[in-house]
Amino acid sequence: MGSQTTLTVDTAERMTGFGRRLAALLRPGDLVLLSGELGAGKTTLTRGLGEGLGVRGAVTSPTFVIARVHPSLTGGPALVHVDAYRLAGGLDEMEDLDLDVSLPESVVVVEWGEGKVEELSENRLEIRIERTLGGETADELGESDGRRVTVTGLGGRWDAADLTGLSEN
């Protein structure tokens, strides 16, 4: 096990800010797996990542297209945003998507990727978003609906990483 940190995020704006801070740690070839129930804030976090990486295009949920590529506007890595919810075949099906991008030169963010894409890389960040309170409905991140975000770095790439800087100061 590499490094791990847990933080509480209580608004959509703060989730976006967390994504921007996370982007500063990422480099080409990084794999980020996001897990959490519907409406937990996975796409909001990825939107912040996209802002932090300086990529083109609005980051929205890729549920119906399965994967969306956002090229960098700043000469950095592209952001490949994948929704693996309907990818039953896992890695093989992911490769069949024939993404017009080199995954080793991109930052790959996969929603609903647990148990499906881990073999893409032994080095990965796993981010679990859990509701800390709130109602029964899976609506978007509301003002009073906090999230506990657990970031776990796996593999040698993340052994010495300091993830504590992801918390707001």
Side-chain angles (χ1 to χ4, degrees):
M1 178 94 112
S3 47
Q4 185 173 60
T5 191
T6 300
L7 52 145
T8 300
V9 179
D10 58 3
T11 66
E13 290 74 26
R14 288 197 166 126
M15 187 67 82
T16 304
F18 165 67
R20 282 194 298 267
R21 290 190 300 280
L22 180 63
L25 294 180
L26 298 176
R27 60 188 191 213
D30 280 345
L31 174 65
V32 180
L33 292 189
L34 301 181
S35 61
E37 62 192 272
L38 208 57
K42 297 181 295 296
T43 300
T44 303
L45 190 165
T46 307
R47 191 169 297 129
L49 265 178
E51 289 177 12
L53 290 171
V55 300
R56 188 177 77 218
V59 173
T60 57
S61 177
T63 300
F64 297 105
V65 294
I66 299 181
R68 188 173 278 125
V69 176
H70 298 274
S72 174
L73 295 171
T74 61
L79 172 64
V80 180
H81 186 198
V82 179
D83 184 328
Y85 189 74
R86 295 181 299 139
L87 282 184
L91 190 62
D92 293 337
E93 204 169 333
M94 173 93 176
E95 288 173 346
D96 288 345
L97 292 175
D98 193 26
L99 299 173
D100 186 26
V101 66
S102 166
L103 296 183
E105 293 168 14
S106 306
V107 169
V108 181
V109 176
V110 183
E111 297 187 27
W112 306 103
E114 280 182 306
K116 296 178 180 176
V117 298
E118 284 87 352
E119 55 196 279
L120 272 175
S121 176
E122 63 186 27
N123 295 297
R124 62 186 179 276
L125 273 184
E126 293 185 352
I127 301 177
R128 175 172 297 282
I129 305 171
E130 300 167 292
R131 293 177 188 277
T132 53
L133 45 92
E136 301 294 310
T137 60
D139 54 357
E140 280 299 307
L141 192 55
E143 291 297 318
S144 63
D145 201 5
R147 302 290 192 266
R148 182 172 57 244
V149 180
T150 305
V151 182
T152 306
L154 300 171
R157 155 82 173 96
W158 297 103
D159 277 348
D162 180 10
L163 300 176
T164 56
L166 292 172
S167 298
E168 285 183 286
N169 295 333

